[in-house]
Amino acid sequence: MPAYRAIGDHHPLVGHRRLLILGGLWRARTSLTQCPSIGPIPNMSKIKAVCVYCGSSPGHDVAYVEAGERLGRALATSGLTLIYGGGTHGVLGAVARGTLNNGGKVGAIIPRFLTNWETTTDAIKMFEDLTITDTMHERKLRMFERSDAFVALPGGIGTVEEIVEIMTWAQLGQHRKPIVLLNIKGFWAPMMAMLDHIRSAGFLHRDHLLQPIIVDRADDVIPAIVAAAANDRASEHGVSSIIDKM
C-alpha cells in the first residue's frame, strides 16, 4: 500500500475529490465547493489548534509566502488556533501575519537562542500567547502537546526534521492526529518519493499508521483536517510519558 491517503470519505466541507497517482503514490486533491473563509467549523470539538511547520526564510518563490498567509487567514476564519515556532521572518512570519491580521489566535513557542535569529526581541512582543523555552526539544514537545493536527509548508532541514518526527511518532502508535503536507508547486514530491522508496525497500513498517495527507493548495488544508478527524473519531493523543523520552 502507498504511504499516503486520500482526504477521506465525503464530508460536507470537502466536496468533490479526485485521487491522482503521481510516481506510484496516492495523493489527495480537493475541489472545494465552499469558500475557504467558511467561518467557525461545526462539530470541531476535537480540532481546536493546528501546528504549522515551515521555513524561517521566504524561499525563492513568492508562492511559498503567499501560501503561508492564506493558511493563516483560513485558520483564523475557521476559529482554529495557530501553534507555531514563533518566527516572524519568511514563511513562518507569513502564517502568523495571516492569522493575526484576520483576528485569529496564535500560540508562539520559540527557544531562547532563536529569539534573535528567527525573530527579534521586539517583534515577538506582538504575541499575547508566547512561550520561550530553553531547548529545541522542549519547544517541539510543547508544540505537539498543544496541537490537534500538523501541517508542513515548504521549509528547510528544520521543517523536514520536525514533520518527520511527527510522522515517526504516528508510525510508533503514539498519536493519531492528522498530518498534512502542503505541496506547493510540488515541494514535497521528493519526500513522497523517498517514503515510497523506503516502503518498497521493506523499511517502512506499520505504514497503515503513517499516512500523511497531501494537498496542493492552502485552501484545502483545513477541509482535509476536518475530514480526517471525522473519519477517525477514535483518535488518541498518544502516551506522553513515552514521547517525553524520545
Side-chain angles (χ1 to χ4, degrees), residues 5 33 48 62 72 153 159 169 172 174:
R5 59 175 167 147
T33 58
K48 297 183 181 298
V62 68
L153 277 74
T159 301
W169 291 354
L172 293 173
Q174 298 309 301

Side-chain angles (χ1 to χ4, degrees), residues 24-134:
L25 301 177
W26 287 99
R27 67 173 180 170
R29 168 170 284 179
T30 304
S31 178
L32 297 181
T33 58
Q34 297 188 30
C35 172
S37 300
I38 50 181
I41 300 175
N43 302 319
M44 283 290 286
S45 58
K46 189 164 65 173
I47 304 295
K48 297 183 181 298
V50 176
C51 178
V52 175
Y53 302 119
C54 54
S56 58
S57 298
H60 291 156
D61 195 315
V62 68
Y64 303 146
V65 169
E66 290 175 346
E69 292 177 347
R70 289 185 69 87
L71 178 58
R73 180 167 65 249
L75 289 168
T77 57
S78 299
L80 300 175
T81 298
L82 165 66
I83 302 298
Y84 92 122
T88 54
H89 307 318
V91 185
L92 276 170
V95 178
R97 288 193 303 274
T99 305
L100 291 173
N101 290 346
N102 289 278
K105 297 180 180 179
V106 175
I109 304 173
I110 189 169
R112 193 175 309 279
F113 73 91
L114 286 181
T115 53
N116 284 305
W117 187 342
E118 295 184 348
T119 184
T120 66
T121 53
D122 288 333
I124 58 175
K125 293 178 181 178
M126 74 173 75
F127 301 117
E128 295 181 2
D129 182 353
L130 172 65
T131 301
I132 298 179
T133 66
D134 292 326

Side-chain angles (χ1 to χ4, degrees), residues 158-174:
T159 301
V160 173
E161 185 271 337
E162 288 169 324
I163 198 62
V164 167
E165 184 170 54
I166 292 299
M167 290 192 290
T168 300
W169 291 354
Q171 185 185 24
L172 293 173
Q174 298 309 301

